[in-house]
Amino acid sequence: MSDAHLSRRAVLTALGALGAVAALPPTAAARPARRSPAVHAGGRRVAVLGGGMAGLTAAHELVERGFDVTVFEPSALGGKARSIPSPGTGAGGRLDLPGEHGFRFFPGFYQHIPDTMRRIPFPGNPNGVFDNLVAGHAFRMAIPGAPDLTAPASIAPPRFDIYDPLTLQESLSAAFSLGGAIPADELGVFVRKLVMFLTSSIERRNGQWENETWAQTLEAEGKSQGYRDILVSALTRQLVAARPQTVSTRTIGIMGQAFVWNAMGVVPQYGHLDRVLSAPTNEAWIDPWAQLLRELGVKFEMGWGAEALEVSGGRITGARVTDRSGARATVDADWYVAAMPAERAVSLWSPQILALDPHLEAMNELVTDWMVGIQYFLRRPTPIAAGHVAYLGSPWALTSISQAQFWRGDFAARYGDGSAHDCLSVDISDWDTPGILYGKTAKQCTAEEIARETWAQMAACLEDGTGAIDENDIVSWFLDPGVRWGPGGNRNDTPLLINTAGSLAHRPEARTAIPNLFLAGDYVRTDIDLATMEGANESARAAVGALLEAAGSSAPPPAQYRLHEPPELEPLRRADADRYRAGLPHMLAV
């Protein structure tokens, strides 16, 4: 079975080839082409089930350590991170217009993804794919009926005594004042809560904050519209597609403190807070990565997805895979890495699997939600901001970025038929609130209605007399094909895991109780604790480290990084640990 390129056309061609070989003996169609002499205890053949961010990371780390790796991917490499060409839009030798699941965002506190990027060669780049990251310098908050707020992506370094709690509150108050958009007394509540989290012990975070929702912690009830739109909602719906009434304060707090330390410039190893790619994701990252992995010896079996795991003697003895034509095959390997999204991984947990690792059943309690993108291809460059835009108060919790200003080369000369000069990529984070045009939720709208409604909500937020966007500029638009319409209503093939309050207990570790099965995905417990590319990469590294140990390998485990916890605050966290164990509230609790 030959490898497939990453374009949609090539994937379809590969699927046709798969049908031609369906008559081969099942194991021959899916088994790695050769079996090298085992150099590790227990063998060296690894089947990676899934070719998204977690699967590619696992394959990369394993092949560098001498394992024979085969990746089984049912649709396209890169998963939700990949580019998705808008079919049939290229002309005159140009590429199809570049669609995507949603825009890519690489905060400066990401450390695993940049480490991987630096190891992927790219022509002319001393640091490989990493050098394709460029900085967004401003963040714009567009508010209907009010002046927009534009803030730099980083702020001046604070005073040296920032870690004193009172000074920390003053610094954060200045950072979050947002031009007076939030009443001072309410801003004080928010900052006090944030400082409480920053100085909380791990015990309190995993106990109290994990089991509270963000809305509960911020005492959202009765607060002003600005407080609820910006501090309660925007930090959850627009950044991580989570409802403040359900998402864990622990998760939002971990992200919040990472953004704070990054923006304040107090962590030397962090990069610029707001980084984006200098080209569509496949061009800038995924394609060079896949090419490198092939050169290193990774085999990609495209069009095949895992449907069941076979068990005998307490181990996985095979993985049954199927393609879109219904052909089936059995994968024979020594080690198995399930690198699938949570909602697909649970379909593998048969009674036999759960008998060996009962904790996996808790994954059925995990919650997913929709965060899906739409791209508008525009007749003129439309740099609404030199970075991301949050449309505060928009019913569908919209965020966007104008791509062409960051992408190398001439957009119109490279993509489409030459008439489009920009790509305005928009993330729709709330699919359950009625819009302003049709009075329907995004889940109830047709694709055309979603395109019109999303544009109308952005225009309502940008009514500031600048003519930031004009619907006459729209050449075409592209909605993530993961959203599908049918007689039973809309469905989304690529939902996002949401860390609801109390869900940490339901999330597994990378190492399972089955000795040759490991988990990699953004649902696995990680330090970053959020469904992100970084979380997927981190979890895959943990899975590889556990596999190396189980295999008796002498190869060093992949590097793993932790988010910055200021040592200056450690005395306060120790004191809070004593208070928490004694059943006392945080010292700043009112």
Side-chain angles (χ1 to χ4, degrees), residues 15 33 67 93 112 117 127 144 166 185 188 208 282 309 325 408 410 416 418 488 565:
L15 290 175
F67 285 81
H112 298 92
M117 286 180 151
N127 299 301
L166 293 179
D185 61 326
Q208 177 182 342
N282 273 31
L309 297 175
S325 72
R408 57 179 178 265
D410 186 310
E565 293 282 359

Side-chain angles (χ1 to χ4, degrees), residues 94 278 381 404 407-416 418-422:
R94 301 177 185 84
S278 61
W407 287 354
R408 57 179 178 265
D410 186 310
F411 186 93
R414 185 167 179 79
Y415 305 105
S419 61
H421 290 260
D422 207 344

Side-chain angles (χ1 to χ4, degrees), residues 221-533:
E221 190 69 28
K223 295 293 193 298
S224 68
Q225 191 70 35
Y227 182 90
R228 288 183 283 116
D229 282 349
I230 298 173
L231 299 180
V232 178
S233 181
L235 293 180
T236 54
R237 292 304 276 162
Q238 267 132 326
L239 289 180
V240 297
R243 290 179 176 81
Q245 295 79 15
T246 60
V247 69
S248 160
T249 294
R250 175 182 180 273
T251 295
I252 300 303
I254 288 172
M255 285 295 93
Q257 73 169 9
F259 276 104
V260 165
W261 303 137
N262 198 171
M264 288 185 167
V266 300
V267 188
Q269 65 267 33
Y270 286 177
H272 191 277
L273 178 61
D274 187 358
R275 299 177 296 190
V276 297
L277 289 168
S278 61
T281 313
N282 273 31
E283 294 180 39
W285 181 15
I286 303 299
D287 286 355
W289 197 4
Q291 178 181 341
L292 170 66
L293 296 183
R294 288 187 175 96
E295 292 171 354
L296 292 174
V298 173
K299 294 172 281 293
F300 292 102
E301 301 292 6
M302 300 300 299
W304 294 91
E307 65 171 5
L309 297 175
E310 298 176 348
V311 179
S312 179
R315 299 174 62 87
I316 306 299
T317 56
R320 294 203 303 272
V321 295
T322 184
D323 71 0
R324 292 179 182 175
S325 72
R328 285 177 167 78
T330 299
V331 177
D332 178 24
D334 302 303
W335 311 98
Y336 298 83
V337 178
M340 308 154 66
E343 69 278 4
R344 297 185 182 179
V346 294
S347 68
L348 300 181
W349 308 152
S350 64
Q352 293 78 14
I353 294 288
L354 295 178
L356 296 173
D357 191 342
H359 182 65
L360 293 177
E361 189 168 12
M363 285 180 57
N364 288 307
E365 303 299 321
L366 296 178
V367 175
T368 61
D369 205 346
W370 293 29
M371 186 176 189
V372 176
I374 184 171
Q375 291 77 53
Y376 297 91
F377 302 105
L378 307 177
R379 299 184 192 282
R380 63 184 176 94
T382 310
I384 303 172
H388 291 89
V389 181
Y391 300 86
L392 302 183
S394 58
W396 289 1
L398 306 176
T399 47
S400 76
I401 190 164
S402 301
Q403 305 271 34
Q405 63 183 316
F406 300 105
W407 287 354
R408 57 179 178 265
D410 186 310
F411 186 93
R414 185 167 179 79
Y415 305 105
D417 62 3
S419 61
H421 290 260
D422 207 344
C423 171
L424 177 60
S425 188
V426 187
D427 277 356
I428 304 170
S429 298
D430 188 331
W431 286 71
D432 297 301
T433 298
I436 63 176
L437 279 187
Y438 303 105
K440 297 193 293 187
T441 70
K443 289 178 181 176
Q444 297 170 328
C445 288
T446 65
E448 180 73 30
E449 288 171 339
I450 289 173
R452 293 181 178 276
E453 177 73 54
T454 301
W455 189 270
Q457 291 185 29
M458 289 191 296
C461 291
L462 293 169
E463 287 180 346
D464 55 2
T466 63
I469 58 175
D470 183 346
E471 64 179 344
N472 294 314
D473 287 332
I474 300 175
V475 174
S476 64
W477 50 266
F478 178 81
L479 181 65
D480 182 352
V483 179
R484 301 175 183 271
W485 284 261
N490 297 354
R491 80 173 194 266
N492 181 6
D493 290 342
T494 54
L496 183 71
L497 178 78
I498 303 300
N499 292 9
T500 55
S503 63
L504 181 64
H506 304 141
R507 294 169 61 196
E509 302 283 354
R511 183 197 297 270
T512 74
I514 303 171
N516 64 337
L517 175 65
F518 307 89
L519 307 181
D522 57 19
Y523 63 91
V524 174
R525 293 192 187 194
T526 58
D527 186 57
I528 200 168
D529 191 54
L530 190 67
T532 58
M533 297 182 295

Side-chain angles (χ1 to χ4, degrees), residues 1-3 29-31 70-73 299-304:
M1 190 185 307
S2 61
D3 290 352
R31 183 180 295 175
T70 304
V71 176
F72 298 85
E73 167 53 42
K299 294 172 281 293
F300 292 102
E301 301 292 6
M302 300 300 299
W304 294 91

Side-chain angles (χ1 to χ4, degrees), residues 48-63:
V48 177
L49 308 177
M53 187 55 50
L56 292 177
T57 301
H60 193 166
E61 300 293 346
L62 285 164
V63 77

